[in-house]
Amino acid sequence: MLRNALLYAIWASLGAAATTSAQETRPANPAAPAPSAAQETPPSGQTPVTLDEVVVTGIRGSIQSSIQTKRDATVISDALSATDIGDLPALSIGEAIETITGASTHREKGGATEISVRGLGPFLGSATFNGREATNGSGDRSVNFNQFPAELINTVQIYKTQQADFIEGGIAGTINMETVKPLSFDERRIQLEGRATYPEYDGKLKDGDGTGWRGTASYLDQFEFANGGRLGISLGVQSLEGSNPEEVAATSSTWTACDATLNRANVNCDATGGGIRPGDPRAGNTPFYLVPNGRTYRQLVEHDKRDAAFAALQWQPNDTMEVNFDYQWSDRTFSEDRNELVLPDGRRSISNMVADADGVVRSFTGQSGIETNSNYKVRAEEYEGAGLNFQWRPSAAWLFSTDFAYSHTLRTENDWTTRLRADNEDINGDDTIGINGARYVDYSYDHRGDVPALVIDPAFDITRWENFGDVPRLRRDEQLREHTLHAFRFDSSYFPESGFFTAIKGGVRYAQSDYRDYDDRVEININRNQNLGLIRDANLACRTAFPQDDFLDAASGNTINSWATFDSRCLFRALSGVDDTGRNPDLRDPANNDIGEKTQAVYLMGDFASEWFSLPVTGNFGVRWVKTDVRSVGLRSDLDVVRNGDGTVTVESTGEFETQVVKASNDVLLPSFNAALELTDDKVLRVGVYRAMARPDMSALGAGRTIDVEDGEFTSIADAIDSIAATGNPSTKPLLSWNGDISFEWYPNRDSLLSAAIYYKQFTGGDIPTVIDETFVIDGETVVVPVEQYATTDEKSDLFGVEFTGSHRFSYLPAPFDGLGVKVSYNYADSNFENHDLRLGDQVDPETGEITPGLVEPANIFGLSKHVASGSLYWTLGPVDLQAIYKYRSEYYQRFVGAPSQNRYIHGGSTVDFRTTWRVNKHLSFSLEASNLTDEPRISDMPVMGNFHEYHAYGRRYYLGVRYRF
């Protein structure tokens, strides 16, 4: 794959690059908007800051460049900008972004992934790459930042207010990542960088991967032609391999509210749906407690591999024309070996229950089956993106540009899972000690630490391989997620010679986004009585020692340290007779999605320069019209209707499917206004007022419907239908928000910044579980059936926030302390937005508007953390840079991607990273970096805070690097 990437990169060098540097006529005003290049791209990062012809590099240079980028922007924004290739001060793009004021990340596999801006989840923001939308393999609208090498990106900027020529979608903000622009540099640069990587938890493994590696190479050059033309080329490649071991204690993601007034021995607890939250005046209380369907302990060994290539070409044949091309390719594959101890009966025989008024369980005794699962997972995700841009400036008064964009992501995932369960006889036919009845163990639960103390009856030995040999089940799961985007836009700008307006801009944009997915499962259940010899031989042949030491030793309360484990691939092969069963011949399923979304947008905007109160002011105002058309193709269960002689009907599922197409459309107007008032030479007051939108996730627009029917005779087809499960709602409308921002910024010098902002958002719309009548034609008869799904409401909600940023270098201190500097940021946001739990939250009747109250409190906005803070302390000691980075995020609601689910809350936490760089000379440098020095786990609760769901630990990581520049 790397060979293909290099070929792509060489081919891309024959085209042209992403954003342009065509200059526009602007007033000589330090607070004035920076020139806008291709109108697909928001204002971009700046070139390296120069002081008295001496280029400032390292951490100080990056901060200076970030301050200048913020000052030159036309909107309220914050940035992280490098002064040179590979100088972005972070181990990954996600970790870089979370050091920007108001930004925070969700962590997966120990790395920063989804980004929340100003306490709002990724679906309320937008992310662009070189100013263009990017696809992903998750089914949502976030960007997988793990796909992009930090070493090949020079600027990350968050635009916190919007203007009419920005791509729609940024209620929270727009995150734009930019690669280098070759003509911004004045010399050839060839750079090689290598890093050794070591995850701390690899040392716990008995057969760990050891040290991983990451290698990056880049080439940048410029060419001058006799006719005055200029050509810039940039190429970069990266390859890495490493491991990310993890330790997990978790519950299932389905929770039930059980009636606390009833005790049931040897059966599941009784669910209650009629209770009301304590204190709710609408009805009395039915005591309840919350329990999951099952509990799991997971030991995980992972191997990660990624190849990436970036290329850009920037060509200026003359003073009036510029052609740009950029290309990105990334191919990431990771494999996991999972060993799980599972108690699948989370609701069985619960007694001695202690729970609080919100149903949060503190302790109980119960009974469950017990099994060991061996799982091998492989996920491959390939990203490819490209953009072609032309700009023509026939005169000083006119600028025309066109932009073509392409982005494609293909993610495939395969899982091979084998289950072995314990029962009353082991594989030798002897009695299994500790088993009650046919297959259950007694256990106690006590949640007092990080992880609940779950004590299994000591008579049952969970480490004894012979105990696990009942009802073997093999599953081969395959998932595919594919997202493709094509976009085009045309923009024109007119620059008057004088007057109020400095530029009048207009343009059109068209985009076609296509998303499809499927999930396939092949399941084999083996009869123990008929295959006892096969099961026994597989058990004996595939045993493994528990793969690590000190499992979950950092988690207080944990009581499970090891269990019987098996080689996942060996066990699957021994029981099935093949390495891979292959997929089902028929992949049709109502859960599959096939969604097309067309976007058409038109905007008109004016840039202005004037005076307010005898003070210079610059800004823009305009309006954007956006129309979205959705076409969702889904399958629904086919039914056979038998009409009985007495007028009744019997309805049966045929096992086949019918295709149905659902279309929906919406359009909105998005006005915007931005102004920057220059109070003094170093103080700027910015104001932004705008309307913004956030579209639902692509995977939430599915049209598939699974119809379950009841046995018996009924008077109508509708009466015979028991339930209909919906994969999504294609008619879901975007969430809209009116927004107001005020920001004060003080720039005392190139190393210092102090800014404070307040902002307000009023949302219209939200999701709430509801039952919507849908029409189906069954056996020629029109049938209206209620379908449970999420719907968009017209309710209004508010958010208020404040944020602060400070950056300063103590240059006035005596040496060596004059190299000390600090950067701090803090964001506070609060909202009355409500996200209701799908099973246990409020539900609304769409016809009457009547609300049936739920049992659990609603969550807030997806991704909302009330408090987000970061701090960076750096110290430059001659050729040595030292930097410590602190990041904090308070608790937040994190929804699952795809089908609606129950509420999940992530605990707040803080991490500390460290970085040091030693520049031996202008060519050679060394670096040492460490992430998550606080060994912060990720802990989550469901469906209310305090009710344990998952403890996810991945430890510290260390990096040792060397870089050489030619």
Side-chain angles (χ1 to χ4, degrees):
M1 296 303 293
L2 182 57
R3 182 194 64 180
N4 293 338
L6 288 168
L7 292 175
Y8 273 128
I10 293 170
W11 168 76
S13 69
L14 302 177
T19 353
T20 72
S21 58
Q23 299 298 307
E24 299 177 359
T25 303
R26 300 284 184 182
N29 180 351
S36 175
Q39 296 302 312
E40 181 78 14
T41 309
S44 61
Q46 303 301 303
T47 55
V49 177
T50 303
L51 295 174
D52 300 326
E53 303 303 322
V54 177
V55 176
V56 179
T57 60
I59 296 170
R60 183 189 176 194
S62 176
I63 290 178
Q64 281 191 355
S65 183
S66 300
I67 291 173
Q68 189 65 40
T69 299
K70 177 180 177 70
R71 181 165 187 171
D72 289 342
T74 59
V75 296
I76 297 174
S77 69
D78 280 284
L80 183 64
S81 185
T83 58
D84 212 337
I85 301 170
D87 273 353
L88 207 64
L91 296 167
S92 71
I93 291 303
E95 290 171 353
I97 293 172
E98 65 182 341
T99 66
I100 300 175
T101 304
S104 54
T105 64
H106 179 71
R107 289 183 170 264
E108 295 285 353
K109 295 191 170 298
T113 54
E114 296 177 344
I115 306 295
S116 291
V117 179
R118 285 181 162 179
L120 301 175
F123 93 105
L124 287 178
S126 64
T128 55
F129 195 90
N130 283 335
R132 303 180 180 95
E133 289 180 285
T135 55
N136 76 11
S138 299
D140 58 13
R141 296 184 187 271
S142 62
V143 168
N144 185 358
F145 294 97
N146 284 328
Q147 291 292 105
F148 302 115
E151 292 86 344
L152 300 178
I153 293 177
N154 248 39
T155 301
V156 181
Q157 191 161 1
I158 299 179
Y159 306 99
K160 297 178 179 178
T161 59
Q162 299 291 296
Q163 61 187 42
D165 62 341
F166 282 11
I167 295 176
E168 64 280 350
I171 287 181
T174 298
I175 302 170
N176 185 48
M177 300 170 287
E178 291 189 359
T179 51
V180 297
K181 300 169 180 60
L183 292 181
S184 298
F185 296 80
D186 55 4
E187 62 182 0
R188 175 185 300 163
R189 302 185 183 209
I190 301 174
Q191 182 169 295
L192 301 176
E193 183 171 359
R195 289 186 182 184
T197 64
Y198 180 73
E200 179 185 44
Y201 278 20
D202 189 82
K204 291 185 172 187
L205 302 178
K206 295 176 180 177
D207 186 21
D209 274 7
T211 303
W213 60 273
R214 180 161 70 183
T216 310
S218 61
Y219 164 73
L220 187 147
D221 212 344
Q222 307 83 27
F223 303 92
E224 302 280 350
F225 301 105
N227 63 356
R230 303 173 66 210
L231 177 68
I233 295 176
S234 173
L235 300 173
V237 295
Q238 184 183 85
S239 187
L240 65 82
E241 286 196 56
S243 64
N244 297 289
E246 300 174 9
E247 303 171 340
V248 180
T251 72
S252 65
S253 56
T254 301
W255 288 76
T256 300
C258 288
D259 192 331
T261 65
L262 301 175
N263 291 314
R264 302 293 192 194
N266 303 320
V267 295
N268 286 341
C269 62
D270 292 86
T272 178
I276 302 298
R277 289 192 295 268
D280 193 311
R282 290 174 288 189
N285 296 328
T286 299
F288 66 91
Y289 56 89
L290 300 164
V291 289
N293 282 354
R295 302 183 185 276
T296 300
Y297 292 85
R298 180 181 303 127
Q299 185 276 336
L300 188 151
V301 179
E302 192 248 27
H303 185 79
D304 200 0
K305 186 177 186 299
R306 184 184 70 195
D307 295 322
F310 286 16
L313 189 145
Q314 196 172 4
W315 178 37
Q316 296 174 351
N318 51 53
D319 292 339
T320 65
M321 180 71 71
E322 182 162 311
V323 182
N324 308 286
F325 177 83
D326 69 278
Y327 177 83
Q328 310 87 39
W329 173 84
S330 173
D331 189 8
R332 183 189 182 204
T333 302
F334 73 78
S335 60
E336 293 180 351
D337 253 316
R338 294 182 171 191
N339 296 286
E340 297 180 338
L341 181 71
V342 180
L343 278 73
D345 304 295
R347 299 168 51 194
R348 180 180 173 83
S349 199
I350 293 177
S351 60
N352 303 312
M353 170 64 62
V354 177
D356 65 21
D358 292 323
V360 175
V361 173
R362 306 311 309 176
S363 64
F364 68 91
T365 57
Q367 196 178 76
S368 175
I370 188 166
E371 55 197 44
T372 179
N373 288 349
S374 304
N375 172 254
Y376 181 63
K377 176 195 294 283
V378 178
R379 175 188 289 179
E381 183 166 338
E382 184 176 27
Y383 172 84
E384 188 175 32
L388 179 63
N389 177 269
F390 299 89
Q391 284 201 61
W392 177 46
R393 188 157 193 172
S395 67
W398 288 98
L399 173 66
F400 302 98
S401 69
T402 59
D403 193 272
F404 301 86
Y406 168 78
S407 183
H408 176 260
T409 298
L410 177 64
R411 174 189 288 183
T412 57
E413 183 174 305
N414 290 92
D415 291 78
W416 295 268
T417 305
T418 307
R419 178 193 70 187
L420 292 176
R421 180 177 287 171
D423 74 348
N424 55 6
E425 290 186 358
D426 65 15
I427 62 170
N428 299 314
D430 298 327
D431 290 341
T432 304
I433 301 173
I435 291 290
N436 287 329
R439 60 182 181 88
Y440 299 103
V441 295
D442 295 325
Y443 69 94
S444 65
Y445 174 99
D446 187 10
H447 189 193
R448 294 291 183 269
D450 296 330
V451 172
L454 197 150
V455 180
I456 296 170
D457 182 354
F460 180 83
D461 186 356
I462 63 175
T463 66
R464 185 174 183 264
W465 292 291
E466 290 87 349
N467 287 347
F468 297 95
D470 190 30
V471 289
R473 184 188 67 199
L474 289 76
R475 283 179 174 173
R476 192 261 192 196
D477 290 298
E478 179 177 319
Q479 296 180 352
L480 178 140
R481 307 285 185 267
E482 185 175 22
H483 188 191
T484 307
L485 175 72
H486 297 85
F488 164 79
R489 67 181 295 169
F490 171 79
D491 302 88
S492 62
S493 301
Y494 171 68
F495 305 96
E497 294 184 1
S498 61
F500 175 76
F501 287 105
T502 58
I504 299 173
K505 304 176 181 180
V508 297
R509 178 177 180 266
Y510 174 84
Q512 171 73 48
S513 185
D514 295 292
Y515 173 79
R516 68 184 182 97
D517 65 27
Y518 69 75
D519 293 84
D520 178 65
R521 168 170 288 178
V522 175
E523 182 171 311
I524 302 173
N525 290 282
I526 298 177
N527 185 291
R528 171 177 171 154
N529 295 329
Q530 298 174 3
N531 298 276
L532 186 59
L534 173 67
I535 296 168
R536 186 176 186 276
D537 290 344
N539 184 298
L540 291 169
C542 301
R543 295 175 179 178
T544 60
F546 193 71
Q548 76 166 75
D549 299 318
D550 304 320
F551 177 76
L552 285 179
D553 60 328
S556 63
N558 179 54
T559 53
I560 305 294
N561 305 115
S562 66
W563 57 90
T565 58
F566 298 85
D567 183 302
S568 58
R569 283 162 283 185
C570 170
L571 197 59
F572 191 94
R573 181 172 55 252
L575 291 173
S576 70
V578 294
D579 290 321
D580 184 13
T581 62
R583 64 167 72 106
N584 285 300
D586 187 356
L587 296 179
R588 294 178 302 164
D589 193 293
N592 297 347
N593 288 307
D594 185 355
I595 300 160
E597 181 183 80
K598 293 181 180 180
T599 302
Q600 302 170 67
V602 179
Y603 78 90
L604 181 65
M605 185 178 79
D607 292 344
F608 65 86
S610 184
E611 286 191 354
W612 289 356
F613 314 108
S614 302
L615 297 174
V617 61
T618 56
N620 59 67
F621 60 89
V623 64
R624 185 179 188 87
W625 175 78
V626 183
K627 185 175 187 293
T628 306
D629 295 298
V630 175
R631 183 180 186 270
S632 184
V633 181
L635 299 175
R636 71 164 177 84
S637 307
D638 185 43
L639 302 176
D640 185 20
V641 180
V642 178
R643 303 186 183 276
N644 306 313
D646 59 359
T648 63
V649 297
T650 301
V651 180
E652 299 175 349
S653 176
T654 67
E656 294 297 318
F657 306 99
E658 290 189 4
T659 300
Q660 61 181 23
V661 178
V662 179
K663 297 181 180 180
S665 180
N666 62 80
D667 63 286
V668 296
L669 281 176
L670 305 174
S672 62
F673 170 79
N674 294 276
L677 183 66
E678 187 179 357
L679 304 176
T680 66
D681 289 341
D682 58 2
K683 297 181 182 67
V684 178
L685 180 68
R686 297 185 192 269
V687 178
V689 179
Y690 61 98
R691 193 186 193 204
M693 63 179 287
R695 295 185 179 91
D697 292 340
M698 293 287 286
S699 58
L701 301 175
R705 300 293 184 263
T706 300
I707 304 178
D708 292 326
V709 297
E710 296 188 40
D711 295 330
E713 298 178 351
F714 300 88
T715 57
S716 69
I717 297 175
D719 291 341
I721 295 176
D722 179 52
S723 65
I724 298 181
T727 59
N729 183 359
S731 300
T732 304
K733 297 179 181 178
L735 180 67
L736 299 173
S737 173
W738 283 101
N739 311 267
D741 293 66
I742 300 176
S743 173
F744 170 79
E745 302 163 8
W746 178 30
Y747 302 91
N749 53 57
R750 291 185 180 271
D751 293 296
S752 301
L753 161 69
L754 181 64
S755 72
I758 59 174
Y759 55 93
Y760 170 78
K761 300 177 184 294
Q762 183 181 77
F763 303 102
T764 301
D767 291 338
I768 188 170
T770 187
V771 176
I772 298 177
D773 286 340
E774 294 190 356
T775 301
F776 301 88
V777 178
I778 300 174
D779 195 33
E781 181 178 329
T782 300
V783 181
V784 178
V785 183
V787 181
E788 184 179 276
Q789 56 194 280
Y790 271 117
T792 305
T793 72
D794 293 326
E795 291 186 2
K796 288 183 168 53
S797 55
D798 306 282
L799 179 141
F800 172 80
V802 295
E803 65 180 12
F804 303 94
T805 303
S807 183
H808 184 62
R809 177 172 174 260
F810 301 96
S811 55
Y812 45 81
L813 294 178
F817 302 107
D818 57 342
L820 278 171
V822 63
K823 178 184 176 183
V824 295
S825 69
Y826 170 73
N827 184 87
Y828 170 84
D830 193 18
S831 174
N832 57 3
F833 194 96
E834 292 186 346
N835 265 305
H836 293 274
D837 187 270
L838 178 67
R839 290 167 55 90
L840 303 172
D842 292 0
Q843 292 203 357
V844 63
D845 186 317
E847 299 295 330
T848 65
E850 181 180 351
I851 294 177
T852 301
L855 296 177
V856 302
E857 294 286 351
N860 213 302
I861 301 174
F862 173 20
L864 174 66
S865 288
K866 279 192 175 182
H867 307 279
V868 175
S870 66
S872 173
L873 179 66
Y874 68 93
W875 194 1
T876 300
L877 296 168
V880 177
D881 275 340
L882 304 171
Q883 185 181 30
I885 301 173
Y886 169 83
K887 292 163 282 190
Y888 169 76
R889 181 180 189 182
S890 61
E891 66 187 52
Y892 58 99
Y893 159 60
Q894 178 76 12
R895 71 182 184 187
F896 294 91
V897 176
S901 59
Q902 296 193 255
N903 291 347
R904 173 176 55 160
Y905 299 87
I906 310 297
H907 285 208
S910 58
T911 61
V912 175
D913 298 340
F914 174 77
R915 171 177 177 147
T916 180
T917 304
W918 173 35
R919 296 181 300 277
V920 179
N921 51 49
K922 69 177 183 178
H923 302 292
L924 179 65
S925 63
F926 296 92
S927 63
L928 174 64
E929 298 162 277
S931 65
N932 193 28
L933 285 174
T934 51
D935 193 11
E936 185 79 14
R938 194 190 75 210
I939 304 175
S940 60
D941 295 338
M942 285 185 72
V944 296
M945 280 299 299
N947 213 49
F948 176 82
H949 167 56
E950 186 177 69
Y951 181 96
H952 191 112
Y954 42 84
R956 304 173 182 87
R957 286 175 168 80
Y958 302 94
Y959 306 80
L960 180 64
V962 58
R963 175 194 295 173
Y964 194 85
R965 289 174 175 163
F966 296 89

